[in-house]
Amino acid sequence: MFLNETQRLALPRLAGFIPYHPDGEISVWDFMTRPRSYESARHCVHSNGIQTPINTVLAYVFLRNTWRALCLLHTRKQSWANWSCFIQALVGVITACVNLSSIFPGGTSCRINLWVCSFGITVSAICVDICLLVKAYAAQNRDRRLIWVCGLLMAPQLAVIWIVWVESIMLNTEKAACIFLFPAYLPWFRFGLDVAINLLFSAVFLYAVYSQYTRLGRKCWRKLGEGGVVFLFAVVLSNLVCALITATGLFGPLSEMFFLIDWVVTSTLLVRQHESIRSAFVSSQQEITRAQVCTKRQTFKRMQ
């Protein structure tokens, strides 16, 4: 939901610069247990009855992805991409658990929940960009200019944390549970960042596909499939679609949830992409081993 300048300036501030709302400084439990009418209580239960299962599902998905990423990390600890997958999923687990704690007595406040969530979304975006950068860097024969360009495009992601923490307001509501009111430019700012860097990655990956096709012909599709390029394109598409939906507010207040949807989708896709690469590598190693065994057998028969 958008926040206008009049609303922002009218609210009290923590430490002189962080706007806050009294209803955002309490947990979901404290907000729900306030004395209220039957109709008001029904709205509270309904809204939190939606958010709580969502957070539970997020916790499960991120926990599963964390375990899968940890297995990948165990096989190759030096990989930046594997570390990025692991950190992205682990931060997701922490975020979901923090949000779930708010429904219990003594849980975290709405403001803390959304601060953690915004931090996690930013970390997720940076981790995704690092994963894509690693692949693009390899596809471009380790062109260092790509690192500098991507670094410049990734740096403004940190501004999202500042906008959410300092320019937005968090509060519990009866009909929408814990929400935050943000400046109207935030979704478009995030959309601009996502479009810029994802168009760059798309161009790099498309050029890699074209190069493979001109060199190998139709055989390139199998090679690209083993490299998980399809998953990389899906990650880019997810970023662009979710950013566009959030920026345009296509689904009304629910549009904000697409930040989290993109986080879950990209985490799952990146882990799956790395698993496909590992599977392809293991299969190729097995084929090489079989070929070596066959060669040794033939050599042994000739010697006899």
Side-chain angles (χ1 to χ4, degrees), residues 229-244:
V229 174
V230 175
F231 294 106
L232 296 179
F233 277 115
V235 169
V236 172
L237 183 62
S238 173
N239 282 337
L240 293 175
V241 171
C242 290
L244 181 62

Side-chain angles (χ1 to χ4, degrees), residues 78-92:
Q78 299 82 7
S79 172
W80 280 80
N82 286 348
W83 275 106
S84 297
C85 287
F86 174 71
I87 292 172
Q88 184 196 24
L90 181 62
V91 172

